[in-house]
């Protein structure tokens, strides 16, 4: 089973996670930029984070045979902090980078005017850079948040097939499906969406335009949830081809719209091989 | 006619690229050559076109069908080095391109250092080499220990670079002019022997590369030009 996790925050995960993901079949992933749990207080703090998503984290992923791409944005929560909003001015030069396959995560957190501004500005950046957008639907007041998100999307001019609406559930599935956007489901141990509910949704909706992710981060989450969904699909009578569509071909098709996706398995370099052979510092997490 | 190293790099790249990528390369190099060496204050507003090419080179360098099994990353590295050479950025621009660069862009800046004409301001260029040597990215470390470091990096930093290779698994064969610089270097020999002792005490294998480097230090130092 080959797996592409279209939404996972590896910055918060360990090398054990990378190894377990590889064992489970994960060969490619997309790491969206988001909130770190600890609020940032300046644009420079974002730039270091973006640099890490464009350098160090892909390097770590490659050590474990996993291709790493990212999406960049000012997240909705910190869009409310005027100390952080100048990040928007620096995003254009970051969005040029070869490994950036979408603008995101953008969307709403508390549905404030500042979030309106940041969302509209970043959907425009997606248009300007010919990139798709990863849109986070809010955890609180989700249905109303989705309605407002869809209004902004319609006026943005970004075609729905270039948008994924993420963290969907049973209450938001209908409106999201009608919008024509891609449908993202984050499978969590105890919130958002679980494996059984995901199977029921796939039975009713089918496998078209569906992305399944672990959204694993610094909170209680599990980077192997994608694999669990694949196993549950097979147990529920879906075919290998259905599983491949949901867990590989759909994310490749969505992010492939950027023209920058290279989901091939990175070939280990001589240095990597030596590092592996020696059991040396990278795999051990530093000198 | 003898080709300069850079001209042969360019020829080598062109034969490996497909037609579209080759067109892109010609356009990008022409725009880089036209770029002002030290952009005026007005240029700060938007990115100069050649810098956009520098950032996006990875998605414009597709190998020609039937070309030798090309490593796309290596093709992109070469294209970026040629762009840097054509644009001839000053120290400030070079520092910015490295600082704002993805890991691949940073690698290209390091690889370009020995090729820039006029040569970069030494202290600024060495600051980039030293930054890369502080990283744990083996590709950056490898690029940092190229011929620019061989020619300019001070003895202390260079020895630590060699040791870092042994720590991170970068083969010493990728360190430029290892033989010449290691020859007769007693301090490097001491550092290597101490490290070998540390490994042995921990019951770990001593890397073969370490023995090789240690052997090189035993040769008497010859006069360096
Ligand atoms: Zn997320």
């Amino acid at each position: 089973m080959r797996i592409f996790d279209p939404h996972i925050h590896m910055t918060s995960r360990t090398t054990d996670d990378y190894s377990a993901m590889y064992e489970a079949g994960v060969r490619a992933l997309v790491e969206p930029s988001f909130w770190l749990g600890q609020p940032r207080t300046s644009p420079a703090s974002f730039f270091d984070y973006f640099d890490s998503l464009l350098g160090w984290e892909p390097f770590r992923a490659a050590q474990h045979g996993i291709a790493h791409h990212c999406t960049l944005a000012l997240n909705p929560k910190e869009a409310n902090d005027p100390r952080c909003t100048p990040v928007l001015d620096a995003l254009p030069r970051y969005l040029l980078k070869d490994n950036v396959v979408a603008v995101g995560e953008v969307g709403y957190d508390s549905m404030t005017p500042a979030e309106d501004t940041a969302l509209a500005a970043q959907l425009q950046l997606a248009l300007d850079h010919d990139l798709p957008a990863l849109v986070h639907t809010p955890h609180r007041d989700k249905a109303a948040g989705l309605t407002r998100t869809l209004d902004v999307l319609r006026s943005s001019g970004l075609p729905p097939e270039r948008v994924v609406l993420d963290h969907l559930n049973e209450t938001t599935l209908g409106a999201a499906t009608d919008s024509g956007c891609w449908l993202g489901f984050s499978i969590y141990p105890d919130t958002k969406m679980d494996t059984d509910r995901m199977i029921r949704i796939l039975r009713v909706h089918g496998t078209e335009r569906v992305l399944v992710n672990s959204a694993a981060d610094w909170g209680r989450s599990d980077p192997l949830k994608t694999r669990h969904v694949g196993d549950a699909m097979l147990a529920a009578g879906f075919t290998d081809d259905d599983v491949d569509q949901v867990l590989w071909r759909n994310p490749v098709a969505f992010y492939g719209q950027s023209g920058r996706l290279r989901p091939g398995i990175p070939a280990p370099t001589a240095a990597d091989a030596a590092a592996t052979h020696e059991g040396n510092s990278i795999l051990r997490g530093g000198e | 006619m003898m080709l300069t190293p850079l001209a042969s790099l360019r020829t080598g790249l062109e034969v490996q690229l497909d037609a579209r990528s080759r067109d892109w390369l010609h356009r990008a190099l022409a725009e880089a050559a036209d770029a002002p060496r030290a952009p005026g204050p007005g240029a700060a507003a938007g990115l100069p076109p050649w810098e956009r090419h520098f950032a996006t080179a990875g998605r414009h360098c597709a190998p020609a069908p039937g070309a030798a099994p090309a490593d796309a990353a290596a093709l992109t590295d070469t294209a970026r080095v040629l762009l840097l050479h054509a644009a001839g950025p000053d120290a400030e621009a070079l520092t910015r391109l490295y600082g704002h660069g993805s890991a691949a862009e940073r690698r290209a800046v390091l690889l370009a250092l020995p090729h820039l004409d006029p040569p970069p301001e030494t202290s600024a260029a060495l600051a980039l080499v030293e930054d890369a040597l502080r990283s744990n990215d083996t590709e950056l470390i490898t690029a940092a220990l190229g011929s620019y470091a061989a020619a300019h990096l001070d003895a202390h930093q260079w020895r630590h670079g060699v040791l870092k290779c042994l720590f991170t698994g970068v083969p010493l064969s990728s360190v430029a002019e290892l033989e010449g610089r290691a020859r007769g270097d007693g301090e490097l020999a001491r550092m290597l022997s101490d490290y070998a002792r540390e490994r042995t005490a921990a019951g770990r294998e001593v890397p073969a590369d370490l023995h090789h480097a240690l052997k090189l230090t035993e040769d008497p130092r010859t006069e360096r030009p």
Side-chain angles (χ1 to χ4, degrees), chain A residues 7 9 32 34 105 167 215:
Chain A
H7 183 155
H9 302 284
F34 204 57
E105 300 178 46
H167 314 316

Side-chain angles (χ1 to χ4, degrees), chain A residues 74-77 79 105-111 115-116 118-119 122 134-138 149:
Chain A
L74 171 63
N75 64 77
K77 198 187 286 269
E105 300 178 46
V106 293
Y108 284 112
D109 180 55
S110 305
M111 291 188 270
E115 291 173 26
D116 285 328
L119 177 56
Q122 295 185 97
L134 167 57
V135 180
H136 155 110
T137 57
T149 303

